[in-house]
Amino acid sequence: MWPLYAAGFTTAFGAHGIAANLGADTDDAVTSLLVLGGLLALYDGAEVLLKPVFGTIADRIGARPVLLGGLVAFAVASALYARADSPGWLWAARLGQGAAASAFSPAASALVARLNPAAKHGRAFGSYGFYKSVGYTLGPLLGGVLVWAGGLRLLFTVLALLGVAVAVWALVAVPVVPPLPRARQTVVDLARRLADPAFLVPTAALAGATAALSVGVGFLPVSGSVAGLGTVATGAAVSVLAACAAVVQPRAGRALDSGRITARGGLTVGLLLAAAGLACAMLPGLTGILLAAALVGAGTGLITPLGFAALASSTPPERLGQTMGAAELGRELGDAGGPLLVAGVAVAATLTYGYAVLAVLLAALGLALGVRRRAAAQRTGTS
């Protein structure tokens, strides 16, 4: 399992280590909030298009080769900007990193599910999410230090070396998990399965959580800069978000496995916490940033393991790659759409209004899931 945890760390560290420092550096490349939103969304936009494809390929040929190929491609894409160091290559490298993560992220999730029994899925995805959160935590902080020391070029160099190291580790340590026999599936069968609430509910919650997370990592440093905080200070403040997520995720997974919480109830609470965090981001100064980071991190930490465990428990093992890829599609739509939404509102009004709009959307989604959960409980005669 450790190389899979390292793969999760890699994508988180790479995505957010860069994202958290784009607004504070590279003035020649990031000329407006809209450009910043585009760069933040580019990585995730590639994942939106490709994750379902690579998830299906993982089911067909096995998740391990897809994992290895994605890690190698991530290293190559990172090396592009490390060598070229120009605004155009920054866009190309971010696109390449997103395409590579489209391969190894759903493959790693499928392997986590395949290598653990169903009764331990909550713990397994909680641990996987924990190490991703460690990447989110170190990304803004260590990324800020690397950018301060040598600019984005140094950060991309470190990412290239990390991708190579994890690929070699996975090659040596991850066991071969052969693809399972699959019954023929029509387009109608796929559409029916993806329209089932067992898929839609956790996927919608994951999309909302990643929208809040991406906005927090990308735009809280902008708020910090307005408040007079430097690059390292804003990186440290945003790292509070990922640290809270890292603390919550394993505990949420264990609580799910032991029956102390339900998946849908936890998803509802997580969305409301994330909405409250974005509302706090509207407050001026360091206090608002820290409160926003803590609440968004806690909400994300609650949603992530519960959402993936719910998806794994409702999916046939031979279709895990496809389901994880499709779920990641919804998740990355939130990850890409959140920054674009907030940036678009910020251009028309201010960044404060951008936070407010996303907070309202997440609160509405959380309340809708709560109402649906209550109605389902009444139908089954449970409380």
Side-chain angles (χ1 to χ4, degrees):
M1 292 295 294
W2 288 104
L4 302 180
Y5 297 157
F9 172 88
T10 299
T11 185
F13 180 80
H16 286 195
I18 296 170
N21 292 286
L22 284 173
D25 197 74
T26 64
D27 293 334
D28 56 337
V30 182
T31 56
S32 69
L33 283 175
L34 195 58
V35 171
L36 174 60
L39 279 168
L40 292 174
L42 187 63
Y43 183 100
D44 305 300
E47 293 186 301
V48 165
L49 295 175
L50 296 176
K51 275 189 172 179
V53 176
F54 283 116
T56 301
I57 293 173
D59 286 335
R60 184 171 301 158
I61 68 172
R64 184 173 180 270
V66 177
L67 173 75
L68 296 175
L71 287 167
V72 171
F74 183 87
V76 171
S78 300
L80 283 177
Y81 183 76
R83 181 174 178 81
D85 191 21
S86 69
W89 282 109
L90 176 61
W91 289 81
R94 287 293 283 172
L95 181 62
Q97 287 179 329
S102 303
F104 73 79
S105 183
S109 297
L111 285 167
V112 169
R114 287 285 305 275
L115 295 174
N116 289 276
K120 294 184 178 180
H121 276 169
R123 289 177 176 83
F125 280 107
S127 296
Y128 178 70
F130 170 80
Y131 287 101
K132 287 191 75 169
S133 293
V134 171
Y136 292 140
T137 303
L138 292 181
L141 181 58
L142 182 56
V145 173
L146 291 171
V147 169
W148 171 79
L152 277 177
R153 194 172 186 178
L154 177 59
L155 177 55
F156 274 85
T157 300
V158 170
L159 290 173
L161 295 174
L162 179 62
V164 170
V166 177
V168 172
W169 190 9
L171 178 65
V172 173
V174 174
V176 175
V177 181
L180 295 172
R182 298 179 302 156
R184 183 178 178 274
Q185 177 181 254
T186 66
V187 174
V188 174
D189 293 332
L190 176 60
R192 186 181 296 114
R193 186 157 61 84
L194 299 185
D196 193 299
F199 174 84
L200 289 179
V201 168
T203 300
L206 288 166
T210 51
L213 181 67
S214 185
V215 166
V217 170
F219 289 99
L220 286 180
V222 176
S223 297
S225 180
V226 171
L229 301 176
T231 301
V232 176
T234 55
V238 174
S239 290
V240 171
L241 186 159
C244 290
V247 169
V248 170
Q249 288 194 62
R251 289 167 173 79
R254 288 194 295 269
L256 177 66
D257 287 343
S258 64
R260 285 178 285 141
I261 61 173
T262 64
R264 187 164 294 189
L267 296 178
T268 299
V269 173
L271 286 167
L272 295 178
L273 284 174
L278 289 169
C280 288
M282 300 166 62
L283 301 174
L286 181 60
T287 300
I289 293 173
L290 291 176
L291 285 173
L295 289 172
V296 169
T300 301
L302 191 57
I303 290 169
T304 302
L306 302 187
F308 279 114
L311 288 167
S313 66
S314 64
T315 301
E318 69 274 13
R319 300 289 181 185
L320 276 171
Q322 185 179 72
T323 294
M324 293 302 175
E328 291 277 7
L329 167 61
R331 193 171 181 239
E332 300 307 333
L333 282 172
D335 214 355
L340 287 177
L341 173 65
V342 171
V345 173
V347 169
T350 64
L351 186 55
T352 298
Y353 283 100
Y355 291 140
V357 169
L358 185 56
V360 169
L361 290 176
L362 293 182
L365 178 58
L367 292 174
L369 292 185
V371 169
R372 185 181 180 89
R373 174 174 172 264
R374 192 173 297 111
Q378 290 174 349
R379 284 197 302 269
T380 59
T382 61
S383 58

